[in-house]
Amino acid sequence: MTGTGSRTSSPTLDEVAVLAGVSRATVSRVVNESPRVSPEAREAVHAAIAHLHYVPNRAARSLVTRRTDTIALVLSESDTMVFSDPFFASIVRGVSAAIAETELNLVLLSARDAREQEKVGRYARQGHVDGVILMSLHREDPLPDILTAAGVPLVFCGRPFDGRPVAYVDADNSGGGVLATEHLLAAGRRHVATVTGPMDMIAGVDRFAGYRTALERAGRPQRPEHVAHGDFSEAGGARAMTELLERAPELDAVFVASDPMAVGALRALRGAGRRVPDDVAVVGFDDAEVAAACDPPLTTVAQPLADMTPLLTELLLRQIDGVAETAESRICPTRLVARASA
Amino acid sequence: MTGTGSRTSSPTLDEVAVLAGVSRATVSRVVNESPRVSPEAREAVHAAIAHLHYVPNRAARSLVTRRTDTIALVLSESDTMVFSDPFFASIVRGVSAAIAETELNLVLLSARDAREQEKVGRYARQGHVDGVILMSLHREDPLPDILTAAGVPLVFCGRPFDGRPVAYVDADNSGGGVLATEHLLAAGRRHVATVTGPMDMIAGVDRFAGYRTALERAGRPQRPEHVAHGDFSEAGGARAMTELLERAPELDAVFVASDPMAVGALRALRGAGRRVPDDVAVVGFDDAEVAAACDPPLTTVAQPLADMTPLLTELLLRQIDGVAETAESRICPTRLVARASA
DNA sequence: GACGTTGATGGAAGCGCTCTCACTTTTTCG
DNA sequence: CGAAAAAGTGAGAGCGCTTCCATCAACGTC
């Protein structure tokens, strides 16, 4: 505790009360829009507030209300990923928009490494936020346990690995994987490979599961050399595609578990002289903006982000307001968007 | 104020004091690491804290200390931009890392539209944060005024438009523009065009100024048809490059004011059948990761981000601690990174 | 051995706000 | 016209914490 800063001390509720000629309680009522205030008092208070540029001190209010009116969106991912994958942008934008409708504030917290995760945990436990939305969870992430233990209202963006009873919203990833794979099969493709997401993320696991389910239903063999693991990044997608071409040159279709990876795969295919969709059909996942823009336009599985982000927010607010009975969760349907690549 | 939530009320300082058999004052001293506590008392308190899982209530502490130990990094930009331009990622990562060294928390706030700007302003005035780093400022952004009026310690990432006396850190953008343009000139290029950044951002303006300065120094005419305005995005860069090729087909070099735009420009040039660097030399700005990876590798102007982000943090902390005399600011030198594109 | 010193500790006063409760005034209705 | 209900208001008790100040024990010092 070195200095004091030069912040001119702002006016308090008392000063407003004195100026308005009423009691502190009345000022508080006006500020909190209680209906039981006479119009005259209300006006006097408003005038005083305007005159003094009064702004309520949040710490004092929080101390008694036990609320901060801010929620955190925690990005549990390397920021290279966060800032390059359009999926994150979409979620942030969507949640942000949903929160903007309310009186709440939204803060973004990054939790890339153990140290930052610890800080986020402390931040939440200290009562800085009323609730947390956790996204991009990896299998071993300690944050779910930390935050659950802290008793903070919590919603996951994405199904949790263990079946823990927690509120979450997710796209139907496995259903989407089935959709994509069946689309390829229905087009008469014989050798359908896949570039999966990271296997320590549920979206990676579930989309892969969908691929396998579809093959199984079609009575097709699952060949290990048709599976390469990516990391949801464009570079990773290119790498995995190259690997696949080496191991299984006969492939004529590939389900790539994210659009950025699909862009990389497209590049790798072009580099290898394969034409899309003539030689190899490609289906991506996400329906990111880039999907429609790339060459050829990418057939992909769309997630209903427009539904998911408000839902995420709603579930959290319900928990905060204490009206959520049990941990609710929602799986949102995915749909295939057919374009030229498959 | 509907419900109460089910958060089990956490233990207070008093309870710790009772359990440890000391006074509240002593517990507070231990928590705040005051040296004037006997080892026995300290140990007893630590034991009690561990036993109760005590976490200090931040609101109560802030109320008296007038500090929150959190600072905000405000992204005053559309999130499409934020999430696609690697420059943002670098700043966020750098500041994040610098903050991680300290006891402070970092929150990211988005301020895309007037409504969000208002919220950010309120958030700061209500005392949620000890200081603010403002980045990606556009000319008409109201946030600087709002935050200055709020008396919040403030550092700009980027020189302010007006010469207001405010702390800021910026790269030497105009110097970088000179560097890039002179490099092109020195290579014997006769018709050096430029794709600028947005003219409502200081980085766009300054880099363009550098381009003009270099032409002037070399005694070359400044031709309006050699200037096209971009928006720092890849698509914008491609668009501007196309425009340039139409207006000034004779051009044999172009200074593109950001790497993402340069990638777009490279694409446009390839599309138009121009070879780089044979027909047209290209210099970018930022030295983003993509610069080394693209084809051909991009000659670009590097910003010393590794210096800038700690500086940004340091300047802010100094203000918060009240040791900053006046508004300090720093311009960090840029340097040319020569690669194949020019 | 009386004295100031030093170090450790607890009592208590707030920080700025909310909210219960009691009080006064006004309205309503039998 | 009186009693009950409703409406508006203020006093005051905290919320959990820090910190000033007083206290007290243990320590040299002459």
Side-chain angles (χ1 to χ4, degrees):
Chain A
M1 303 298 145
T2 40
T4 62
S6 60
R7 199 154 168 183
T8 54
S9 68
S10 44
T12 69
L13 212 165
D14 293 74
E15 300 173 42
V16 174
V18 170
L19 183 60
V22 298
S23 71
R24 294 211 311 282
T26 298
V27 176
S28 178
R29 288 189 193 100
V30 172
V31 170
N32 293 298
E33 297 179 335
S34 154
R36 356 208 99 242
V37 181
S38 68
E40 306 84 59
R42 188 188 313 279
E43 197 164 326
V45 170
H46 276 143
I49 286 175
H51 186 249
L52 295 171
H53 297 297
Y54 169 74
V55 179
N57 177 316
R58 221 36 191 260
R61 176 194 290 229
S62 292
L63 188 52
V64 21
T65 61
R66 264 69 234 297
R67 300 217 8 183
T68 61
D69 293 335
T70 108
I71 74 158
L73 178 56
V74 177
L75 305 168
S76 213
E77 182 70 76
S78 79
D79 36 25
T80 321
M81 208 62 219
V82 169
F83 284 93
S84 65
D85 195 325
F87 174 72
F88 288 95
S90 301
I91 296 288
V92 171
R93 184 183 313 129
V95 171
S96 203
I99 291 297
E101 311 269 301
T102 70
E103 281 302 291
L104 274 64
N105 294 109
L106 178 70
V107 305
L108 265 41
L109 262 29
S110 121
R112 295 165 303 177
D113 51 35
R115 190 191 213 168
E116 287 197 348
Q117 285 163 342
E118 186 49 49
K119 270 199 178 183
V120 168
R122 214 186 322 151
Y123 195 76
R125 270 193 320 233
Q126 287 174 337
H128 274 287
V129 297
D130 294 342
V132 172
I133 296 175
L134 215 43
M135 70 181 292
S136 184
L137 285 172
H138 292 254
R139 191 191 290 274
E140 300 298 340
D141 200 312
L143 236 21
D145 283 338
I146 294 178
L147 294 175
T148 303
V152 184
L154 186 61
V155 175
F156 287 48
C157 177
R159 199 162 67 84
F161 264 101
D162 43 15
R164 67 173 66 199
V166 72
Y168 70 87
V169 174
D170 204 350
D172 181 4
N173 285 309
S174 59
V178 170
L179 239 40
T181 312
E182 285 183 343
H183 182 73
L184 260 9
L185 256 18
R189 302 286 169 165
R190 312 291 307 168
H191 308 286
V192 182
T194 187
V195 173
T196 76
M199 287 296 108
D200 71 334
M201 297 186 69
I202 200 72
V205 171
D206 283 355
R207 291 171 196 178
F208 181 41
Y211 162 83
R212 294 168 41 140
T213 302
L215 287 186
E216 205 165 303
R217 284 190 197 156
R220 299 292 183 84
Q222 293 173 33
R223 308 193 26 208
E225 66 270 32
H226 280 179
V227 178
H229 298 299
D231 58 1
F232 281 153
S233 78
E234 188 177 324
R239 215 177 302 127
M241 190 70 239
T242 305
E243 198 182 317
L244 237 28
L245 287 172
E246 273 170 24
R247 287 205 311 236
E250 78 282 7
L251 64 83
D252 59 3
V254 55
F255 162 47
V256 187
S258 90
D259 285 351
M261 289 201 301
V263 170
L266 248 27
R267 183 152 43 81
L269 285 167
R270 196 181 308 121
R274 309 286 182 113
R275 290 166 307 162
V276 175
D278 312 42
D279 301 331
V280 179
V282 177
V283 176
F285 206 111
D286 281 348
D287 195 22
E289 215 166 294
V290 71
C294 66
D295 178 36
L298 191 65
T299 294
T300 189
V301 177
Q303 307 192 46
L305 292 178
D307 299 334
M308 289 168 65
T309 51
L311 212 45
L312 221 34
T313 313
E314 188 190 325
L315 253 43
L316 184 60
L317 295 188
R318 274 233 280 282
Q319 265 187 70
I320 292 173
D321 288 340
V323 300
E325 293 305 307
T326 56
E328 306 174 74
S329 59
R330 302 286 180 80
I331 301 279
C332 302
T334 45
R335 76 194 153 76
L336 193 89
V337 178
R339 296 206 181 87
S341 73
Chain B
M1 305 295 147
T2 39
T4 62
S6 60
R7 199 153 168 182
T8 55
S9 68
S10 45
T12 70
L13 214 166
D14 293 73
E15 299 174 41
V16 175
V18 169
L19 183 59
V22 298
S23 71
R24 294 212 309 281
T26 298
V27 176
S28 178
R29 287 188 195 101
V30 171
V31 169
N32 293 298
E33 296 179 338
S34 154
R36 355 210 98 242
V37 180
S38 68
E40 307 83 61
R42 188 187 314 280
E43 197 163 327
V45 170
H46 277 142
I49 286 175
H51 186 249
L52 295 171
H53 298 296
Y54 169 73
V55 179
N57 176 316
R58 223 35 192 261
R61 176 194 288 230
S62 293
L63 189 53
V64 23
T65 61
R66 263 69 231 297
R67 300 211 17 176
T68 61
D69 292 337
T70 108
I71 73 160
L73 177 56
V74 176
L75 305 168
S76 213
E77 182 71 77
S78 80
D79 38 24
T80 321
M81 209 62 219
V82 169
F83 283 94
S84 64
D85 195 325
F87 175 73
F88 287 96
S90 300
I91 296 286
V92 171
R93 186 185 310 129
V95 170
S96 205
I99 291 296
E101 311 268 301
T102 71
E103 281 300 292
L104 275 61
N105 294 109
L106 178 70
V107 305
L108 266 41
L109 262 29
S110 120
R112 293 165 304 175
D113 51 34
R115 190 192 214 166
E116 287 196 350
Q117 285 164 342
E118 185 50 48
K119 271 199 177 182
V120 169
R122 214 187 321 153
Y123 195 76
R125 271 195 317 237
Q126 288 175 337
H128 274 288
V129 297
D130 293 343
V132 172
I133 296 175
L134 214 43
M135 70 181 291
S136 183
L137 285 173
H138 292 254
R139 192 191 289 275
E140 301 297 342
D141 200 312
L143 235 23
D145 283 337
I146 295 178
L147 294 175
T148 303
V152 184
L154 186 61
V155 175
F156 287 49
C157 177
R159 199 162 67 83
F161 264 101
D162 43 15
R164 67 172 67 198
V166 73
Y168 70 87
V169 174
D170 205 350
D172 181 5
N173 285 309
S174 58
V178 170
L179 238 41
T181 313
E182 285 182 345
H183 182 73
L184 260 9
L185 259 15
R189 302 287 170 165
R190 311 292 307 168
H191 307 286
V192 182
T194 186
V195 172
T196 76
M199 287 295 108
D200 72 334
M201 297 187 70
I202 201 71
V205 171
D206 284 355
R207 290 172 196 177
F208 180 42
Y211 162 82
R212 293 166 43 138
T213 302
L215 287 185
E216 206 165 302
R217 283 189 197 157
R220 297 293 182 83
Q222 291 174 35
R223 308 195 26 210
E225 66 270 33
H226 281 179
V227 178
H229 299 299
D231 59 1
F232 281 153
S233 79
E234 188 176 324
R239 215 176 303 125
M241 190 70 240
T242 305
E243 196 182 318
L244 238 29
L245 287 172
E246 273 171 24
R247 287 206 311 237
E250 78 283 4
L251 64 83
D252 59 3
V254 56
F255 163 46
V256 186
S258 91
D259 284 352
M261 288 201 302
V263 170
L266 248 27
R267 184 151 42 82
L269 285 166
R270 194 181 309 120
R274 310 284 183 114
R275 290 166 307 160
V276 176
D278 313 42
D279 302 330
V280 180
V282 177
V283 177
F285 206 113
D286 283 347
D287 196 22
E289 213 166 294
V290 70
C294 65
D295 178 34
L298 192 65
T299 294
T300 189
V301 177
Q303 308 192 45
L305 292 179
D307 299 335
M308 290 169 64
T309 51
L311 213 45
L312 221 34
T313 313
E314 190 191 324
L315 255 42
L316 184 60
L317 295 188
R318 274 233 281 283
Q319 265 187 71
I320 292 173
D321 288 339
V323 300
E325 294 304 307
T326 55
E328 306 174 74
S329 59
R330 302 287 181 78
I331 301 281
C332 301
T334 44
R335 76 194 154 73
L336 193 90
V337 179
R339 295 206 182 87
S341 74

